[in-house]
Amino acid sequence: MTERIDGHTLLIGLMAYPIRHSMSPTMHNNAFAKLGLNYAYLAFEVGNDQLPSAIESIRTLDMRGSNISMPNKQKVIPLLDKLDPAAEMVGAVNTIVNDDGVLTGYTTDGIGFMKSLDDEGIDIRGHKMTLAGAGGAGTAIAVQAALDGVKEMSIFNQHDAEWENAKRNVALINEKTDCHATLHELEDRDDFKKEIQSSFIYTDSTGVGMKPLEDKTLVDDPTWFNNPDLVVFDTVYAPRETKLMRVAKQAGVKHVFNGLGMMLEQGAAAFKLWTGEDMPVDYIRHILF
Ligand code: NAD
């Protein structure tokens, strides 16, 4: 790394709190080194209070950009000059690009979701998706899938703080895209089963299946998965195999995925925005996992 850093090195940040656990610095710095690109990526502990001055420093230091994570993904929006249409619809930003002092906000989680399916040879465009969850990940997935051409989407959420967001997502998708979205209560099990069974893909973005809900799944009855061609996607990547994935495999579902590919591809999408280059995803997967 020291061999690469010189007076021309461009800095890219990650602004969030807490953030020391993040895999992003390892991901990006190894990709820069592999491709011989003169960038360095550093994590900065930045909360809401420090955010305005941290964002201003992107301009002051002529940084190439930054990733943004919690608790800053929404708070950062008024501090930017422009928003990519998907980021505007999602209402959150995870990537900033600095073009000569003009800061543009993007969201790459949804791109990562779609690309990770493309990588597996699965095209959900023109098909129906049932999606559980309407939080940060669920919103990004729903918006990108709708923008990319998913034809029909049944969004399920429980009656918690995200219910209003699920409502908002459905209204926005119907207004701004060609996808027909409907809102459903997760508590209505018959409806949930029916929608999954009439879908091309079932995606769980609730985080049920990771700590502290590691032994839980929203679908624990394998007979719900009566179509072996259904695609089952869990956004969780730790553990690598969730209970949902085990139930789906037990039912004979052929295409069952965790969120690892999505995580790598959301990083690759940001990498491309900053550098114009394709991240060597397989190489990075090998380093990280
Ligand atoms: P969030 O808190 O913003 O949203 C959580 C969603 O799940 C909400 O819709 C909430 O209503 C629902 N939910 C929470 N607990 C539930 C329960 N017990 N039963 C049913 N529904 C429940 O969280 P987030 O940031 O959207 O993250 C969700 C999951 O997605 C996490 O597991 C996270 O690790 C994963 N994620 C993965 C990637 C990736 O790249 N693979 C990216 C972002 C998030």
Side-chain angles (χ1 to χ4, degrees), residues 109 133-138 157-158 160 162 186 205-208 210 213 218 235-237 259 262-263 266:
D109 282 337
N157 213 88
Q158 62 186 14
D160 64 9
E162 299 300 338
L186 201 46
S205 73
T206 64
V208 172
M210 68 178 237
L213 301 173
L218 300 178
T235 58
V236 171
Y237 53 85
M262 173 177 165
M263 197 276 277
Q266 63 76 32

Side-chain angles (χ1 to χ4, degrees), residues 184-201:
H184 303 255
E185 296 173 359
L186 201 46
E187 291 83 356
D188 186 341
R189 303 288 294 170
D190 289 341
D191 185 37
F192 192 29
K193 176 180 172 184
K194 178 171 73 67
E195 291 304 306
I196 288 176
Q197 291 188 339
S198 62
S199 292
F200 182 84
I201 177 168

Side-chain angles (χ1 to χ4, degrees), residues 9-15 39-44 53-67 96-103 274:
T9 304
L10 288 172
L11 179 61
I12 295 171
L14 165 58
M15 299 175 178
Y39 294 85
Y41 184 108
L42 291 179
F44 299 103
S53 58
I55 296 301
E56 191 49 36
S57 71
I58 297 177
R59 295 188 183 89
T60 310
L61 303 178
D62 199 20
M63 292 167 62
R64 179 64 183 125
S66 187
N67 274 141
I96 298 171
V97 177
N98 177 13
D99 291 308
D100 300 320
V102 177
L103 304 188
W274 295 316

